[in-house]
Structure formats: C-alpha cells, structure tokens
Amino acid sequence: MPRDTGGMARTVELLWGVRTPRGTRGPRPGLSVEAITRAALAIADAEGLGAVSMQRVAKDLGYTTMSLYNYVPSKDQLVELMIDAATPPPPVPEDGDGWREEVEHWVRATWDLYHAHRWVLKVPTVHAPLGPNQMAWFEALLHGLSRGGLEGAEVMAVAQHILASARGQAALAIDLATGEDGATADFGEAMLRLATSDRFPTLHGLVAAAKPGGFDVGAEMYAGLRLGVRLLLDGVEGHVERAAPSRP
Amino acid sequence: MPRDTGGMARTVELLWGVRTPRGTRGPRPGLSVEAITRAALAIADAEGLGAVSMQRVAKDLGYTTMSLYNYVPSKDQLVELMIDAATPPPPVPEDGDGWREEVEHWVRATWDLYHAHRWVLKVPTVHAPLGPNQMAWFEALLHGLSRGGLEGAEVMAVAQHILASARGQAALAIDLATGEDGATADFGEAMLRLATSDRFPTLHGLVAAAKPGGFDVGAEMYAGLRLGVRLLLDGVEGHVERAAPSRP
DNA sequence: ACCGAGCAATGTATCCGATACAGAGTTTTA
DNA sequence: TAAAACTCTGTATCGGATACATTGCTCGGT
C-alpha cells in the first residue's frame, strides 16, 4: 500500500502543472516532470508497463534513480502522469456530423487510443478523468452526447457507460490478440472443451456457432463494440423523443 | 514479467480442478489449492489485494511461504483462482420474469458482487471468463439476453458490452466512495475548480448542475448504470423488431 | 517387514523494486 | 560572503516472488 504521497491534491497539482513555485535557488534542474513522464511513457509504449521501473526510467534519462523523486513523489503518481500524457487532444467533430456520428467517431478514436497504448488498460486503479488531457478527451464525448438531447445527469451516465464499454472491449480484444498473460490463441479450443452444452448451453451454442474458421479478433470485437454503442444510441434517441415529443 | 508458469493450459487445469493426478505417494498433503485460495480470498476481502502476498497467505495457513508453490505455480495463478472463487452461482431468474428483467437482475447482482469483492476491480489483467464460476456467471447473462431475440454474435457483443459497463461503473463508484487511491471525497471540488467553463464547457455545466448538495455516489452511479442498460435494451428491442417483424 | 521412488515442507538465498536518508556540490539572496 | 534552498548521488532498508537443495514421510512392490 503506497503511502499518502500527496493525495489527490498533489496528484492534481502535478497533472495540471500547478507545481508549487519552487524557489529559484539551487542548481539548475536537469530534469523535469515532463521529461520524466516522457521517458516513462516511451518505455511503456515500447515494452509494456512492466518494464517501467524508477530505476529504468532514471537510467534512460542518465540520472540516478533517486533523482526522480525530486520531481515525482511516487511511482503511482508517475503512472498517473503517464496516462494523461498518453492522451492526445480529442478528435474534432467534422462539420456535417450529427451527434451520433460524433459519438461514434469518439468511440473509434478511443479504441485506437487504447491500442496505441495498450499498457493503459493494465493500470489497476481507474478513476474519473483527472488530468487535463483525459478530461478533454472525456469532454469531447460529453459534447457529442449532449447534442443528443439528454438531460444533464443522463448525459453523464450514458457517457460513463460508453467509456466503460470501449475500455472493456478494447481490453478484452487486446488480451485475446496479444497472447500475453497466458490467455493465448488456443482460447477458442479451451472454450469449446470447457463450455459443455449441459452446464453452459448458451455459451456453448455461441462458441460452437462462431467456430467455423479462425477470425480476426480485433475486427470482430470492434464490430461488437460498435453494435453495442449503436443500440445504446438508438435507446437514447427513443428516450429523448419520449421525454420531449415537441420537435419539428 | 512473470515467467511462463504454465500458460493458459495450466491456468485452466487449476481453475477446473483437473489437476494432474499426483501419485498417491509421499506425505499426506496438508494443504490444497482450495484451502490456499480460500485463505487468499479472505485476506483480499478483508484487507484488499495489496495485503495478499505469498508470505501472508502461508502465514495465515500456518505453513511456509514456499510450501504454497507445491499447489499453485505462481501468484498470478493464485489471483486467477481467487477471482473465480469469489464468484458465487449466478442469480436464478424468477419465473415470471421477462428477458429484460432477467438481464437487469443480472446487472444488479453483478454490481453487488463487485461491491462484495472490491479488490477484483483492481486486478489489472482482465480476460474472458475462464474459470467455471466466472463462466457460469457470464452464461447467466447470455441466457437472459438470448431470450431477447438477438442473433448469435450479437448476443455475445451486447453481453460483453453490458459486462464492461457494469464493471466500469462499479469500479468508478467504488473508487469515488472509498477514498483509497488518493481520488478522494473532495473530488467534486477539484472538478469544479479545474473544469473551467472555457476549456470544458459541457463537463463544467454538468458538474455545476449536479453540485447542489452532497449526494450518495453509490446510488447515483447505480442509477446511471441502470439507465444505460435500459437504453441499451431498448435499442436491442428495436433492433430485433426491425430484423424480424414476424412476431405475434 | 524392507527399500527406494515420489512427493510435501522447510530454510536459505537471490533478485528485483520502491523509497528513506544523509551527504556533497551548486546557486541565489540577504 | 554565508546561509538558505536546491539538485544529485550513494547507500541502505524493506518487502516480495520465487529458485534450489535438503529432510523426512509413505506407499508400492518385493
């Protein structure tokens, strides 16, 4: 259990660069939060989260391990920073797009984002988007959704719903595609052998039906995500119409 | 990076109790996979995943750390076992229930389940439900959904969608409620301060609107989850009707 | 009964990784 | 120009996972 190396206040400070204005004394700093974050991010992108250790980051930067602690209070915080740093500006909605298209583009972009930084999905603790970039990304989703006509709290609920789905599907897809954790390619085999028709009738049926021919897990799962989102948005439309039948 | 302590084959073996029939020789085993799993589970439930170490589990059982490795090839595998062990038999659909009710009950049960074992949401790598209990739980969802009239692959897609949402919402709710990782109660405050109306107009609006009065995060978020699921199921209904308008 | 194969438990040792702490050297400011 | 405020460094501690060698059962075959 990591100690209270600052709590949320500190995290936020770091994420938003509101660093307590350290005096102008002492030697010229050779490092910076940004440099450290960048280095860590590079490692994670290239070799996975497991390869990111304070020692490793420091070595890549040509400094001592402990020097990092002058800028970042703990590794957990560093990971926090990495996540935000991995998040680019959100997709810009195209001019003619309806709100549904805007949302669907967002979903696609999110899918791609997770694929570009698979390690993000391995970070255990997930909280609300705290950093500026994460927040901006989420804001983009809210923007699209809010055009759909939902009431305040509903927008938030549906947004979280979509975010969770995207994340979950991406995580699964990546896990199935990359045979990392031991959940490997021979997954279908095991499924078929284990999901016997007596104990798991529905599952068995589905797996058996899907069996014919190896298939592209990624594409398959993205299609699934897409379908889910579409159905959800259908539901949203219906809901909005029902609530406010006063529309031209 | 944990070595290949068995791969999925081994994992599955363990989860399903298909242990290679170890000869009948040698001293009477004092431990068992089940006992170890139970002990670990108890620790996690009581003190969180962070408190679970091989040393700790062994100590609780009154054995040496290394003796555990006679039964469980690695800690990762143990966690896998814990997750499956934490999953009880799925909710049984009540007789008069329509398929939507069945699904919604499932969602509720899942929500409760995650709350009963918060640590599960902190396990980084998530794969398809592999263990028998996990599989049974998922099967229950598939069962409900399949009654809705979706086509094979669609059932799977929507099921994963729902599972991901439930998991995501629960994770967030728990994270906000439990001030664990540093994301603490003063969350709303920070939100308001950071989500300025110029950079995050929509978010700002929503947060500001929701502000009046502290509120029950848990209830609030469950309502959100529920709404999302309902809208999704609305979408499913529409989709099914559209696809097969031939129904009494 | 007897012996050796096969296995359970132990104890010890290694190898990280995070992070506390105590200098040593560098600027700045009073 | 000395003290203050820092940045880096080096070293040390504290877990945690897990390899390995050892000890001592216990059973199956004689």
Side-chain angles (χ1 to χ4, degrees), chain A residues 61-131:
Chain A
L61 288 165
Y63 284 78
T64 331
T65 305
M66 289 314 290
S67 68
L68 302 188
Y69 287 94
N70 274 312
Y71 303 86
V72 169
S74 76
K75 185 183 177 179
D76 287 352
Q77 305 267 350
L78 175 54
V79 172
E80 217 71 52
L81 289 166
M82 290 167 61
I83 294 178
D84 203 66
T87 310
V92 187
E94 302 189 27
D95 259 13
D97 281 357
W99 67 275
R100 291 186 61 133
E101 276 139 328
E102 186 175 337
V103 170
E104 290 186 21
H105 280 158
W106 184 94
V107 170
R108 174 73 210 184
T110 301
W111 174 268
D112 291 339
L113 181 57
Y114 283 135
H115 280 263
H117 305 282
R118 307 203 188 89
W119 56 269
V120 170
L121 298 168
K122 298 275 172 64
V123 178
T125 64
V126 185
H127 19 253
L130 269 185

Side-chain angles (χ1 to χ4, degrees), chain A residues 137-155:
Chain A
W137 193 271
F138 191 62
E139 162 78 17
L141 172 59
L142 289 175
H143 178 267
L145 272 178
S146 68
R147 288 174 58 202
L150 289 173
E151 176 263 319
E154 295 173 341
V155 173

Side-chain angles (χ1 to χ4, degrees), chain B residues 16-243:
Chain B
W16 292 75
V18 200
R19 210 148 37 276
T20 313
R22 321 200 126 275
T24 166
R25 297 189 177 172
R28 195 138 299 228
L31 285 171
S32 67
V33 177
E34 294 70 32
I36 294 173
T37 307
R38 244 196 322 277
L41 182 54
I43 298 172
D45 281 345
E47 304 169 48
L49 196 56
V52 177
S53 71
M54 296 307 266
Q55 0 271 314
R56 174 63 190 284
V57 174
K59 201 183 66 170
D60 281 16
L61 287 165
Y63 283 79
T64 329
T65 304
M66 288 313 289
S67 67
L68 302 188
Y69 286 95
N70 275 310
Y71 303 86
V72 170
S74 77
K75 185 183 178 179
D76 287 352
Q77 305 267 348
L78 176 55
V79 172
E80 216 72 51
L81 289 165
M82 291 167 61
I83 294 178
D84 203 66
T87 311
V92 187
E94 302 190 25
D95 258 12
D97 281 357
W99 67 276
R100 291 186 61 132
E101 276 140 327
E102 187 176 336
V103 170
E104 289 185 21
H105 280 157
W106 184 93
V107 170
R108 174 72 209 184
T110 300
W111 174 268
D112 291 340
L113 181 57
Y114 283 134
H115 280 264
H117 306 282
R118 308 205 188 92
W119 54 271
V120 169
L121 298 168
K122 298 273 172 67
V123 178
T125 65
V126 184
H127 19 253
L130 269 185
N133 298 326
Q134 288 265 304
M135 210 177 257
W137 193 271
F138 190 62
E139 162 79 17
L141 172 58
L142 289 175
H143 178 267
L145 271 180
S146 68
R147 287 175 60 203
L150 288 174
E151 177 265 317
E154 296 173 342
V155 173
M156 188 63 89
V158 173
Q160 276 160 1
H161 193 99
I162 292 178
L163 175 56
S165 314
R167 198 186 154 97
Q169 297 276 109
L172 229 187
I174 288 171
D175 201 80
L176 289 180
T178 330
E180 279 185 15
D181 309 303
T184 3
D186 44 5
F187 178 69
E189 320 295 319
M191 247 355 206
L192 263 189
R193 199 165 358 99
L194 297 174
T196 54
S197 55
D198 49 329
R199 290 186 58 186
F200 310 96
T202 320
L203 220 201
H204 185 268
L206 293 179
V207 175
K211 199 71 207 48
F215 54 138
D216 180 346
V217 194
E220 198 82 14
M221 298 224 41
Y222 178 65
L225 171 58
R226 206 178 155 90
L227 172 65
V229 170
R230 285 204 170 132
L231 296 184
L232 177 60
L233 296 186
D234 285 351
V236 169
E237 274 190 344
H239 179 68
V240 169
E241 270 167 35
R242 230 173 297 128

